[in-house]
Structure formats: C-alpha cells, structure tokens
C-alpha cells in the first residue's frame, strides 16, 4: 500500500478531535502544539471555507485533529460559523475541545453554554494562562460548575499541553442548565429538531424573533456572570492596559494614537530598516564584498560574455535580483514584519477596526473590513483570500478592489517608506493624502455601483497585551521564510525577463512606445519604464527599481512622489491577480485590473500637470 493510500485509510478510521473556539484565542497555535506534523488544508464540502486537519498521536490514541473556523455563536451569522456548527453537531465520531481565552471568561463561557445546550460532551481549554489575570480563576470550582474537564494552558509557552492531551480525549457531559422566560420556552417547546436548535433559530432570526433573542442573550449573560463571580476573586478592575485599549477605540483620542503608531512605523521601518540596514547591506555587504567576489568568480569560471551578463551584468541574477531581494527589500521586510507582529499581538488591530468603523461605513463596508486591509500591508494575495470573513458579496468585492488598488504589500510599503524617508514632510503628506483619498473615493463610488447590502459589525476585542519577544520572533521567522521562498524566486524571474528584453532590444522598444506616457505624461526618466514593466510581475520589484533610481540621483523629489503614487496604485502582482480570478471570477478580475491601470497612470499624469501648473517644487 502506498503512503498516500495508507494515510487516507488512517484518516478515515481515526476518531476526530474538533477544536472549537472564538477567533483570537490561540486555537491555531494550539493545533500546531497538539499535532507537530504535516497538516492538510481542504475546503469543507459544498463551500469555499478551508478546514485544517492533521493526524496526531493524542495520549497514545491516533486522532484526526481538526482546526475549525473561529465562531462566536452556534447561531451562525456567516459561512465559517455555519461550517463549525455543522462539524460540532455532526460529530458522533468526534471529541470536542473548546479553546477559550482565560482573560475573557465571559465570551468563552457564553460559547460553552451553547455547546452544553446541544448536549455535546466537551473539554474546556483555557488558553493564554500566562496572563496575569489568569491567577484569579478557580479552575477546580469552574470544573465543578460546568461538569466538564477544564485545563489551563499556554500554547505560546507549550505549558500543560500533555495534560490537555489526556483530557481532550476524555470529555465530560456538561451540567449547565438554563431556564429561559416563559415566552422563549413556549416558542422552542415544539421545535421539530431539538430545544437547542429552536434557541439557535431564534438567535439567528429577525423580526418577531429579535425580542426573544434579546431575552435569550440577557439570560445567558446573567448565568455566565454568576459563574464568573463565583470562580474569580473579583479582581477585574480596569488597569492601565484596559484604559489604553479603550482609548485606542475612542472616536477622538484614537486618532492621535494612530498618528503616533504611524510615526513609530516610519521611524522603525523607514529609518532603521530602509535607511540604516539597507545602507549596510547594499553599500557594505553587497557593494564591497558579495558583488565583487561574485564578479571575480564568474570571470574566472565562465569567461563568456553572455554568462557574465546573465549573472553579474546590469540585469544580472546576482548583481540585480539578489541585490534587490536581499540587500534592499529583506531588511525592510524584516523590520515591517516585526512591527506588524507587535501590533498583532498587542490587540491593537481589532481596536483599529472599531475606531475606523464609522469611516468604512461610508464606503458601504464596516469595521471588520479593516482586518483584511491591514493584512494586505503584509501580503495582498493572502488578504484577498481573507475577504471571506466579510458577510456579504458586496463587501468582498469592494475590499478586493481596494486591496488591489491602494494597499501596498509589506515589501512594497517598506520601499515606499524608504523613499519617503529621503523626502520632506509635505512630499510624504501628498503621497499619503492621494492614497487615502483614492481608497475613500473608490470605496464610496464602488458602494454605489456594486449591488447588495453591508453586513453587521460584530468583532471580538481581545485584552491589550504586552507582546512576547519569542512569539514575535516565531512570526517574523515564518514570514521571512515565506518571503525568501515566494518572493525571491520571482525577483530572479523578473531579472531574467529584463535580461531577455534587453538582449533582444524589446526593452528599448517598450521604452520608446511608453515614452509619451512615462516621460511625457508622468514627467519621469525613460529608465523608469523598466520599473513599471517589471511591476506587472511584482509591484515591490518595480518599487525597488525606483528606489535604486532615487539613490542614484535619477529622480528628483517631484518625480519621486509621482513615481511612488503610480507604483502604489499600480496593477496587482500576478499572484494577487490569480487569487482575484479565483475568488471573484475572470471578468471582474480583468475589469478591476484595467480600471487600476487607467486610474494609476491617469492620476500620476494629473499630479505632474498640477505640479507644473502651480510651480510646485518639493524637497
């Protein structure tokens, strides 16, 4: 029997272990700790919702561990929540492990209560137990009140994982019982499936069900608060971090905090990463050592002109592709990933979504759209996939357009910040203002054109935390590995493309054809054509070419701002375009790409004309 066949047979025979929990409780990291092996990702039958699973030895028994999509309720409001509900209720051959945040017992126990109402045995894992507030929870008493095993863990620190494995496959029958108002009880008494299904139907309904749903929510909150009062010592007073978290969401004070965060990002990524580190890697490491050594080695080993040009020439794989990818982009990517990881772990990003909800509502979106757009600052391709978390097709289409148009990925943003770091504050404000106005204007117009309604805004706010260096390091290393595997090969392909275009004189022809646009309309040097041509492959590679031109003095400040604006609003990279085709279909993807192309160059030409008409000279 082949390994694949054996694996399939194991998968069909192994009892399942379902990980159930809200978003942002460390469920995926816990999945990794429990399995420590190859995981498969597949779509749930009949949907586009992805399910991660892996075969693992759990306390001596072979199990198929399944990481279900995060859910806040068993009365589903989205495709992901519906899939999780179906997996849970169809789990006759599965054990259930609920993963919750010990720092937010209320939301954890609200889900526990719903699982209990369906009569499903489960084990409760209270993750993030290295938090200071975790010390105030009486786990023994909580276990008695719930009637199920309760295990405190820290997936980040790998603490108590072995105990969790023992308890996860020995779930308990929950003892929670809650009697609702007579109106609710009468409504669910005759439900054809079950009492719990009747409750879920009320909570997921509207119209007359809204009042009954409010009664159910109030009763559940009262019961959960009673449990929390008994199992904690009452030390839930607001602390400095809690007050800071509230300020981050404030409609007034949230904006100065955001401004400070952007300034810190500019210092850390723009000055340290794109300034000091890039200068060291490019001018010291590569210019003094790697490139001269490589040139000497190539001349000695292969003294043929075509080989020298291919490897160490103007469009050489070593002197251009690796210099761009490693010396110019990598330091920027690492510093950006570090900053992004800190914001991610601190709990700031969900608060940013709350603060920007009012603004996004004017674009036919809600605050939840902030999450894929912020993720787009890491990778637009992955962010386009995460538009699935948005509830309506209208929201998913609008965010896909905005991601492709005005949200630069980490590598591109890093290069942009590096170039802005060499300009004055007014130049930076112009670039930022154009980008933000574009996002708002296109989003607003799209909300009027794209049919449909915006979804409700429901988001879980995790506690503010001090990010852990070890966790940040893990994330940075993983994302850097992704960059080296995914982006660097495309840099090499892009350089080879430029080499072929140059060797066949096609590049010269393209420069002449595009000269009226690049030189005439945009007011840029003809050499900038190379950056836009290669930008079709990867926008960050095109940005790196502009960065090299700026460092060489080939772009003045006015030209730099125009070039940055065009490359920011430029057509998405090939990978992002293919994901757009997959998620939105071919014709909409082509329409989006065509619109972006016209808009980017049109706005760049408009800026150039305005600079000349008003005699604007930037520094």
């Amino acid at each position: 029997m082949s390994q694949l066949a054996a694996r399939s047979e194991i998968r069909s025979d192994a009892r399942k272990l379902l990980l159930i929990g809200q978003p942002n409780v460390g469920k995926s990291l816990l999945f990794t700790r429990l399995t420590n092996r190859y995981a498969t990702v597949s779509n749930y039958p009949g949907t586009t919702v992805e399910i991660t699973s892996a075969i693992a030895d759990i306390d001596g028994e072979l199990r198929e561990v399944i990481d279900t999509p995060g859910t806040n309720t068993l009365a589903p409001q989205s495709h992901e929540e519906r899939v999780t509900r179906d997996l849970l209720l169809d789990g006759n051959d599965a054990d259930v492990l609920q993963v919750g945040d010990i720092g937010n017992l209320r939301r954890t126990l609200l889900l526990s209560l719903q699982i209990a109402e369906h009569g499903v045995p489960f084990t409760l894992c209270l993750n993030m137990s290295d938090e200071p507030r975790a010390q105030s929870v009486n786990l023994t008493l909580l276990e008695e009140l719930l009637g199920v095993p309760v295990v405190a863990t820290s997936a980040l620190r790998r603490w108590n994982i072995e105990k969790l494995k023992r308890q996860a496959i020995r779930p308990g029958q929950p003892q929670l019982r809650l009697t609702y108002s007579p109106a609710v009880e009468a409504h669910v008494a005759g439900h054809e499936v079950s009492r719990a299904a009747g409750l879920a139907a009320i909570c997921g309904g509207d119209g007359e069900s809204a009042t009954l749903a409010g009664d159910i929510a109030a009763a559940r909150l009262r019961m959960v608060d009673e449990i929390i009062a008994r199992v904690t010592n009452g030390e839930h007073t607001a602390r400095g971090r809690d007050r800071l978290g509230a300020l981050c969401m404030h409609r007034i004070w949230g904006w100065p905090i955001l401004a400070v965060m952007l300034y810190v990002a500019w210092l850390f990524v723009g000055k340290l990463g794109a300034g000091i580190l890039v200068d060291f890697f490019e001018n010291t490491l590569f210019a003094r050592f790697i490139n001269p050594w490589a040139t000497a080695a190539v001349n000695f080993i292969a003294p043929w002109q075509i080989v020298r040009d291919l490897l160490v020439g103007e469009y050489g794989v070593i002197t251009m592709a690796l210099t761009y990818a490693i010396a110019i982009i990598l330091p920027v990517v690492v510093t950006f990933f570090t900053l992004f990881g800190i914001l991610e772990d601190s709990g700031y990003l969900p608060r940013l979504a709350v603060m920007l909800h009012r603004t996004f509502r004017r674009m036919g979106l809600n605050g939840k759209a902030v999450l894929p757009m912020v993720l787009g600052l890491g990778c637009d391709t992955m962010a386009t996939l995460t538009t699935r978390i948005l509830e309506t097709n209208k929201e998913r289409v609008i965010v896909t357009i905005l991601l492709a148009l005005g949200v630069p990925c980490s590598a591109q943003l890093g290069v942009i910040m590096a170039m802005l770091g060499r300009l004055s504050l007014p130049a930076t404000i112009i670039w930022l203002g154009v980008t933000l106005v574009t996002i708002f204007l296109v989003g607003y117009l799209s909300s009027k054109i794209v049919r449909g309604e915006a979804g409700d805004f429901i988001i879980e706010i995790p506690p503010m935390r001090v990010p852990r260096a070890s966790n940040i390091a893990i994330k940075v290393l993983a994302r850097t590995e992704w960059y080296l595997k995914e982006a660097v090969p495309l840099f090499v392909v892009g350089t080879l493309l430029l080499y072929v275009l140059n060797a066949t004189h096609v590049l010269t022809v393209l420069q002449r054809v595009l000269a009226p646009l690049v030189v005439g309309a945009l007011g840029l040097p003809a050499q900038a054509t190379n950056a836009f041509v290669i930008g079709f492959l990867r926008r960050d590679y095109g940005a790196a070419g502009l960065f090299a031109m700026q460092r060489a003095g080939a772009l003045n400040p006015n030209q730099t701002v125009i070039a940055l604006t065009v490359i920011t609003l430029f057509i998405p990279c090939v990978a992002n375009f293919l994901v757009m085709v997959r998620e939105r279909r071919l014709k909409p993807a082509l329409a989006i790409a065509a619109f972006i192309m016209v808009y980017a160059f049109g706005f760049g030409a408009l800026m150039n004309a305005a600079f000349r008409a008003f005699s604007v000279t930037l520094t």
Side-chain angles (χ1 to χ4, degrees):
M1 181 182 297
S2 67
Q3 289 184 351
L4 179 60
R7 181 176 175 81
S8 299
E9 183 177 345
I10 289 175
R11 180 175 297 279
S12 63
D13 293 341
R15 184 175 173 84
K16 296 180 176 63
L17 175 62
L18 301 179
L19 304 189
I20 306 290
Q22 290 101 338
N24 303 315
V25 296
K27 185 163 53 65
S28 296
L29 179 57
L30 192 65
F31 170 86
T32 303
R33 299 291 187 244
L34 290 174
T35 56
N36 287 322
R37 62 178 63 203
Y38 174 80
T40 59
V41 179
S42 58
N43 284 354
Y44 186 77
T47 73
T48 58
V49 179
E50 293 183 341
I51 302 294
T52 305
S53 63
I55 299 296
D57 184 343
I58 306 295
D59 196 34
E61 297 187 22
L62 200 62
R63 297 299 173 96
E64 181 185 0
V65 184
I66 300 177
D67 183 12
T68 65
T71 182
N72 290 296
T73 176
L74 296 185
Q77 305 295 320
S78 65
H79 293 301
E80 288 77 7
E81 291 183 341
R82 186 171 294 108
V83 167
T84 298
R85 192 253 343 245
D86 292 345
L87 283 168
L88 176 70
L89 300 184
D90 191 32
N92 295 326
D93 60 340
D95 294 322
V96 175
L97 175 62
Q98 184 200 349
V99 183
D101 179 359
I102 198 171
N104 198 333
L105 272 181
R106 172 178 282 182
R107 72 162 180 164
T108 297
L109 295 181
L110 282 172
L111 184 58
S112 301
L113 179 56
Q114 294 177 64
I115 297 175
E117 287 178 334
H118 282 280
V120 177
F122 69 98
T123 299
L124 176 59
C125 167
L126 293 178
N127 196 28
M128 304 182 184
S129 292
D130 49 342
E131 295 279 333
R133 68 182 73 190
Q135 307 303 318
S136 65
V137 180
N138 187 331
L139 298 178
T140 303
L141 179 56
L142 180 60
E143 191 172 82
E144 293 177 1
L145 294 174
L146 299 181
V148 302
V150 178
V151 183
T153 65
S154 172
L156 179 61
R157 294 189 171 190
R158 296 182 171 86
W159 177 71
N160 239 12
I161 300 300
E162 292 305 316
K163 180 179 179 181
L164 178 64
K165 288 182 178 181
R166 292 193 297 271
Q167 298 294 339
I169 58 176
R170 298 172 179 82
Q173 186 68 43
Q175 303 302 315
L176 288 174
R177 295 292 183 269
L178 177 57
T179 301
Y180 295 98
S181 67
V184 172
E185 294 292 346
H187 195 279
V188 301
H191 196 275
E192 59 183 10
V193 178
S194 67
R195 180 175 183 274
L199 292 170
I202 294 174
C203 294
D206 53 16
E208 294 182 1
S209 298
T211 301
L212 297 180
D215 293 343
I216 293 173
R220 286 173 175 171
L221 281 173
R222 283 195 299 270
M223 184 175 191
V224 166
D225 286 342
E226 288 174 5
I227 294 174
I228 293 175
R230 294 184 63 182
V231 301
T232 62
N233 59 16
E235 294 179 1
H236 284 276
T237 56
R239 299 173 300 171
R241 274 186 272 171
D242 298 319
R243 289 191 289 270
L244 176 60
L247 288 175
C248 290
M249 296 183 288
H250 196 274
R251 58 186 302 179
I252 297 176
W253 297 111
W255 291 101
I257 293 176
L258 176 59
V260 171
M261 295 303 303
L262 293 175
Y263 180 68
V264 171
W266 179 73
L267 289 178
F268 188 67
V269 180
K271 290 297 184 181
L272 174 61
I276 298 173
L277 295 181
V278 167
D279 185 67
F280 170 76
F281 274 81
E282 183 184 20
N283 295 328
T284 302
L285 190 60
F286 271 76
R288 295 184 183 180
F289 299 102
I290 294 179
N291 286 344
W293 291 350
T295 301
V298 169
N299 289 335
F300 178 76
I301 297 173
W304 300 284
Q305 186 65 39
I306 187 172
V307 176
R308 291 200 302 268
D309 291 344
L310 181 63
L311 296 178
V312 294
E314 181 182 4
Y315 301 108
V317 171
I318 298 174
T319 51
M320 185 176 188
L322 295 185
T323 299
Y324 276 22
I326 306 299
I328 295 178
I329 303 295
L330 184 60
V332 174
V333 166
V334 171
T335 50
F336 178 85
F337 283 158
T338 302
L339 177 68
F340 191 80
I342 292 172
L343 295 178
E344 208 173 24
D345 275 25
S346 67
Y348 177 71
L349 296 184
R351 288 167 171 81
L352 181 63
V354 173
M355 190 190 73
L356 295 178
H357 172 63
R358 293 175 181 271
T359 302
F360 274 69
R361 178 57 75 183
R362 295 185 177 92
M363 296 188 290
L365 302 170
N366 62 49
K368 193 183 292 186
V370 174
L371 301 182
M373 292 188 69
V374 170
L375 182 60
L377 296 175
C379 174
D380 281 325
T381 303
M382 295 304 299
T384 302
L385 286 173
T386 63
T387 57
R388 297 175 182 178
I389 70 171
L390 303 176
E391 296 178 10
T392 68
N393 182 66
K394 176 177 182 174
E395 292 174 317
R396 291 190 285 270
V397 170
I398 293 175
V399 173
T400 298
I401 295 173
L402 297 183
L403 283 170
L405 174 63
V407 180
C409 66
S410 59
Q412 184 189 8
L413 180 62
V415 177
I416 290 171
M417 294 179 70
M419 296 177 70
L420 291 174
R422 294 170 168 264
L423 301 178
S424 62
L425 181 60
T428 301
I429 292 175
I430 290 175
W431 171 83
L432 182 61
V434 167
T435 303
L436 294 179
V437 167
T438 291
I439 291 175
F440 184 83
L441 179 61
V442 173
Y444 176 78
L445 294 177
S446 298
S447 69
K448 304 300 181 183
I449 298 173
V450 180
R451 296 178 180 179
E453 299 292 332
D456 295 328
F457 180 49
I458 302 174
I459 189 170
E460 180 60 38
I461 305 298
M464 291 291 286
R465 297 185 175 93
V466 177
R468 295 190 178 279
S470 58
N471 197 27
I472 302 301
I474 291 172
K475 290 184 177 183
V476 171
L477 288 174
R479 289 165 176 167
T480 302
E481 181 184 10
W482 165 85
Y483 168 78
L484 294 174
K485 288 182 177 179
E486 300 293 331
V488 173
L490 288 175
F491 273 60
V492 175
V493 172
T495 300
L496 292 175
L497 176 61
L498 279 178
Y499 172 80
V500 172
L501 293 176
N502 183 63
T504 57
H505 304 291
V506 174
L507 191 58
T508 303
V509 174
L510 285 175
Q511 289 176 345
R512 290 175 181 172
V513 171
L514 295 176
L517 177 61
V518 175
V519 179
L522 300 183
L524 302 178
Q527 184 184 353
T529 305
N530 299 351
F532 295 120
V533 169
I534 207 64
F536 285 103
L537 188 66
R538 276 193 70 90
R539 283 192 295 183
D540 52 336
Y541 197 2
L546 296 176
F547 186 28
M549 290 180 62
Q550 184 198 36
R551 290 170 66 86
L555 293 175
N556 63 41
N558 282 30
Q559 292 173 324
T560 300
V561 172
I562 294 171
L564 281 178
T565 301
V566 176
I567 204 67
T568 300
L569 306 177
F570 202 53
I571 188 170
C573 68
V574 171
N576 190 17
F577 178 77
L578 292 177
V579 170
M580 286 167 54
V581 172
R582 172 184 170 184
E583 296 293 307
R584 307 276 85 88
R585 299 187 305 277
L586 179 60
K587 287 185 178 180
L590 289 173
I592 292 172
F595 164 73
I596 290 173
M597 179 67 66
V598 173
Y599 186 94
F601 282 102
F603 211 101
L606 182 63
M607 289 179 65
N608 182 44
F611 286 167
R612 292 181 176 179
F614 295 100
S615 302
V616 175
T617 303
L618 300 173
T619 57

